[in-house]
Structure formats: structure tokens, C-alpha cells
Amino acid sequence: MSMKDRMSESTLHKLMSMRQGLEEVETEEKFGFSEDEEESIRNELLQQAEKEDASEEIDDDFFTSLSGPSQSGGNEKLVEVEYLGRIGYVDISFESLDEDIAEEDARHIVDALETMAYESDSFKRKKAAKEVEAYGEKAVSIIFRECRKFDLTDEVKREEIIHLLSRLATRSLKGRKTIKAVLEKASSTQHLILAVMAAGSVREREAVKSILNHMSNPDFVPSGLEALIKIRDKESVASIINILSRLDASRSDLIDQVIQLAPRFSDFGPEAVKPVFDAYIQGENRAIRPFFTLALRSFKEDAVPVLAAVLEDETDEGKLMPICMTLGGLKLSYSTQLLVDAFSKYPNKKRVIVRGLSHTNDSNLVPMLVNELKTTPDIRLKQECLGAIAHLAHNDKELIPVIKPYLSEQRNNLHLDALNCLVRLGDRDSLVTYIDTLMNGHENEQYVLQKHLPKMPFKLMVKMAETMLTCPDEKAILLVTSLQRANIVPQEVGPILQSKLNQNPAPSLKLEIYRLIGKHVNKKKELLSQEVLYKARRDEDDPRVIRELDQIIQNMRKEKGRISTLR
């Protein structure tokens, strides 16, 4: 057993003691049912299965006449499905009504489902859902038959139909078998997506294998991942990680959806910490790396023992850096204390530990960092201290006189780290110097400050963006390309970009603005609408700009729920 797979007894004892000092917080069940409820539901399903077995007085002539699944109009009709260890047949063509439902009742269900699919009034949709639910499991096959009427990209209506289907199927053997049969044998994408999400909603463990199989198609990865997180089958974790690690880095639309689910990965339980940690350290797909970062942090205190063991044993800074950043990012008192203790215990690891401390948001650490800044001869450690103080000091202007002397320190561009720190501390003169150096400094100075800008507070990013309205186009390009580095840009920057476009700037600047818009379009915090890009594509006459706009539009995150009418 390697050192990374275990912890020293003393370290574990210390962590547990620190954890006991935390205030206990009552947690709620995020999804569905408790273990007792799940056991009760399973017993009900078993009783239904036994009752079904007892009622099937079928003679040998039936079995000899049954040749297996049949076809109806090119669609699979009867398909074989195994559920709770019993073999049965399910009609997944959904072309004919069940024998136990009257045609008039079926018409009523269809009308209610159409209300749910097309009605904008949420009260009417809710009333319609209750009408369908009153028919019980009889409505399940009709929901699948009519599901093409639902826009499953509409989050609200999607959740409504999924919740309805799950309420009908939770304690229904027929409903569960239908969902599993669709997952195993259906070819309709709409049916499959509905079944995947319904399986997650009822936490159908027998559907795990089929869901994983469908996730080989990247378009099923977000819905499949959400379903598997709800089901919480620990055996599926390794397969999920393998699928995510192989996602195409160019599919930013899928990766964005996957990353949004990362904070829920802890629902798999503490046993999932180690495989997520290994994927976090060993993964080569940088596009999906944020998922593993957030997933690891989602485990909170359960992740600490694994991270602490590596911090103790590892000496490679490249591997230690993300460990320390994650420990700090947990923002737990005892994970922070673990870093503080390690700072004294491992002098050769101070640089990466300071980086971790910068992610804690704990301003009480500032005096320790200031002392290290003043006393250490290590320039790289001084840089880390300046970066951490910039993040943790929270606009503390009393520190400005302490940091200003480092503006004269040119070694390793320490003066630029000091300049960034002073701007974060609220020094107005330094903000002016920062912007001037970013636009007029040496190429190396511009490069360093461009890397710092995306980490600035939003209000400072907006102030810097405003500068582009009055500066020459060739200088404004440096500001725009700096903002392109940020994963999130304040929405106030959007109108500034539009104002600059209204000035009809040079094609090279227009192009960088379009790239910045395209990076954030159709996201929750987009800067400007995609219509700006489509309008530019119609109006621009520069061949290079047109060519690049085509590429930007092709690569941008596609809009959900509707298609632009201005294309």
C-alpha cells in the first residue's frame, strides 16, 4: 500500500479532533428517498412481481407461439426485458392503447399532456399534471407516446414531465419495466432522454448499465451524468470518470453542462474521493479538469484525509500545487489549519502552501503572509505572498505602505506582482500605472499583467474596460485580449464593448471584441446577445473578419430552447 493510500495515525487523529470542533450541520436528503423508503419501495415492487407471476396462467401453446420480439411498422413492438430477476415483455412502440384503459380516458390524458407541453400558464400545467397522475400507471405508456410534443431543452417543462413520470413509476412495476425496456431497446432519442432522466428521478439501479452505455454518445453525457448522480451507484464512478476524461475538448456546450453538475458528485459518498482525486491529478484533458476540481471540493471534509496524505508525502511542486489549492478552496476551518501547520512543518513546500492559503478567503492569514514577505529571501515565495495578500486583504488600504517598496524590485518582475497587489488593495495611483503599463510597457510586462487582469475584482475589470473607449485601437486590443483570458467577465463590460463597436474601430480590434463576445454568448452571464455576432456577419465586409466570424459562430455555445430568427 502506497503512502498516498493511507495516513499516519497521528495525522488522522489530529484531523478527526479538529473535525469534532466544527459545528454539526443538519443535512437534508437531496434526492428522492431514504434507505428505508427505498427498501419499502423495492418490497412493493417485488410483491407486484409475485402477484403478476401468480396471475399469469399461460399454457405451453402460448410459449411455443411466442417467437420473441416483434416488429410493427419498422419499430420494435414487444421487447424482452429482465427486471427483479424476472423475464417479461414490454411494448415500446407505444402505438396501441393498453387493454386496461378506455379510449375516452386516453383522450383525456393526451389533452392534459398537450396542456403540459404547450401551455405557458404554470397553474394550468400543474392542474393538467394532476389530472394525468390520477390515472396512475395506465398513463405511463401514453406519456412515452406523446413525449415528442415536449421540448426537453425547456428546463421548467422538462422537469414537470419528468416529475410526473417518476411519480407514476416509482411504485409501479409496469412503469419501472417500461423505463428499463426503453433504455435497453428503444432507438428514439426523445424516448431515451426521457427514460434516462426518469430512471435518475426514481433512482433505478437496474438502469445504470444502460445509462452508461448511452453515455458513449456525448450528447447523452449531461443527462446520463445527472441521472447517475441521483441513483448514486458507487460502482459506476470509475466508468463515469473514464467517460468524462474522454470528452472532446471542443464540445464546450457539453463540458459546461457537466461542470455544473460537479458540486453534486459528493452524493456518491466518501468512497468516490480517491478515484476523483486520481483523475484530478492524472487527467490530461484540461477542458474537463474544472469538473474534477469542483467534484473534489464537493466532498468537503471527506476529501481532507486523502489530500492531507499527499501533502505530507509528495515533493513534486507540480502535483502539490493543485492539492494545496483544493485544500484552501474547501474553505473549512480545519483544512485551512492543516495548511497553516504544514507551512511551518514543511519549509520546502511553502510556495505551494501559500498558493493554497490564497484560496481560503481567510483574512486572518494576512499578518503571517506579510511577515513571510518581509523575511524570506526567496523571490518566488515573495511573489506568492503578494498574490495571496492581494486575494485575502480585502481592500485593506493600511497595507499599501507595506507593499509599495516592492515596486522598485525588478527581479523576476516582482514589481508587477506588487503593482497587482496594490491595485487589489484599492490604491488609485497603482490602477493608473497598471493600465498604462498594460498598454505601453515592455512586452514581458504586458504579458504578466494580462495574466493578472482576469483575477481582478469585477469593478476593477469594468474600470479597465472603460479605458478602451478613449484609447487608440492598438492599445485597446491589449485590454480585450486580457479579458479573453477570464472565465467570467462582469456583464457591465458588454455595453462597453457595444459602445466601442459603435465607434467602428479597426478590423483587428473588432475581431478581438467578437471573440470575447463569442466566448460568453448564451451563458448565464453573457456579455452581449448572439444577435450581435449574426448582425456583424451580415454587415462586415472585411474578408478576414467575415472568415473569423464564421468560426466564432460555429464554436460558440449554442442557444437552448429556440433558434434565432436573425440568422
Side-chain angles (χ1 to χ4, degrees), residues 1-14:
M1 182 180 292
S2 67
M3 288 291 288
K4 292 179 184 178
D5 292 324
R6 63 179 175 82
M7 292 185 63
S8 67
E9 185 176 349
S10 60
T11 303
L12 181 59
H13 177 74
K14 184 174 183 179

Side-chain angles (χ1 to χ4, degrees), residues 207-464:
V208 169
K209 182 178 178 180
S210 295
I211 293 173
L212 287 170
N213 288 337
H214 287 301
M215 288 172 70
S216 62
N217 178 345
D219 291 329
F220 279 93
V221 169
S223 58
L225 176 60
E226 183 171 11
L228 292 172
I229 289 174
K230 290 180 178 179
I231 295 171
R232 287 180 274 182
D233 179 66
K234 294 176 174 57
E235 299 300 319
S236 67
V237 170
S239 298
I240 292 171
I241 289 173
N242 185 43
I243 290 169
L244 297 181
S245 298
R246 292 186 284 106
L247 274 179
D248 184 349
S250 67
R251 292 297 304 269
S252 58
D253 56 331
L254 299 182
I255 291 174
D256 285 346
Q257 295 176 64
V258 164
I259 289 173
Q260 290 177 20
L261 294 169
R264 291 165 51 184
F265 210 78
S266 59
D267 290 323
F268 284 108
E271 298 91 341
V273 172
K274 189 65 168 59
V276 171
F277 169 77
D278 290 340
Y280 176 66
I281 294 297
Q282 300 167 9
E284 297 179 357
N285 187 346
R286 295 185 63 84
I288 199 65
R289 190 172 178 81
F291 173 87
F292 294 120
T293 301
L294 293 172
L296 193 56
R297 290 180 181 177
S298 75
F299 291 98
K300 296 188 181 299
E301 61 266 19
D302 288 330
V304 174
V306 174
L307 299 173
V310 181
L311 176 58
E312 181 177 348
D313 299 336
E314 188 59 70
T315 57
D316 185 329
E317 277 198 349
K319 295 179 180 179
L320 278 171
M321 188 67 80
I323 302 303
C324 293
M325 290 167 62
T326 301
L327 279 168
L330 291 174
K331 296 178 174 59
L332 299 171
S333 60
Y334 72 100
S335 61
T336 298
Q337 188 60 46
L338 182 69
L339 287 173
V340 172
D341 292 344
F343 186 77
S344 302
K345 188 176 180 181
Y346 309 119
N348 294 332
K349 302 178 183 180
K350 279 187 173 182
R351 194 174 78 85
V352 291
I353 291 170
V354 169
R355 179 73 66 87
L357 293 172
S358 72
H359 286 260
T360 63
N361 287 344
D362 187 347
S363 59
N364 294 321
L365 301 171
V366 172
M368 181 183 79
L369 295 169
V370 170
N371 180 67
E372 189 66 27
L373 173 66
K374 292 178 177 179
T375 57
T376 181
D378 186 335
I379 294 297
R380 295 173 69 207
L381 181 52
K382 285 181 181 290
Q383 290 176 310
E384 289 295 341
C385 288
L386 286 168
I389 293 168
H391 282 283
L392 301 178
H394 303 307
N395 213 32
D396 185 354
K397 291 183 172 57
E398 292 184 4
L399 288 173
I400 291 175
V402 177
I403 305 301
K404 273 197 171 180
Y406 295 96
L407 288 174
S408 60
E409 178 58 77
Q410 300 292 316
R411 289 181 298 167
N412 285 47
N413 290 317
L414 189 63
H415 66 294
L416 299 177
D417 296 289
L419 181 60
N420 171 65
C421 184
L422 288 166
V423 171
R424 297 288 297 266
L425 293 174
D427 183 43
R428 294 184 179 180
D429 292 340
S430 294
L431 178 60
V432 174
T433 303
Y434 188 107
I435 296 174
D436 180 68
T437 306
L438 180 61
M439 294 190 296
N440 303 305
H442 298 303
E443 184 176 348
N444 184 56
E445 291 178 318
Q446 292 173 333
Y447 174 75
V448 173
L449 294 183
Q450 278 186 319
K451 290 198 300 182
H452 279 307
L453 192 147
K455 302 173 186 177
M456 288 284 181
F458 277 7
K459 64 178 182 180
L460 293 177
M461 292 175 71
V462 172
K463 286 184 179 180
M464 292 184 186

Side-chain angles (χ1 to χ4, degrees), residues 139-180:
V140 170
S141 60
I142 299 179
I143 289 175
F144 273 100
R145 189 177 72 176
E146 302 297 319
C147 74
R148 290 182 177 86
K149 296 176 179 178
F150 285 82
D151 177 7
L152 296 182
T153 65
D154 183 322
E155 185 175 353
V156 174
K157 292 186 178 180
R158 181 184 70 231
E159 290 303 311
E160 288 173 349
I161 189 63
I162 293 300
H163 287 160
L164 171 60
L165 181 55
S166 66
R167 289 196 298 273
L168 294 174
T170 294
R171 300 176 184 275
S172 165
L173 179 67
K174 176 183 176 180
R176 298 270 188 151
K177 287 199 297 186
T178 300
I179 290 171
K180 190 178 181 189

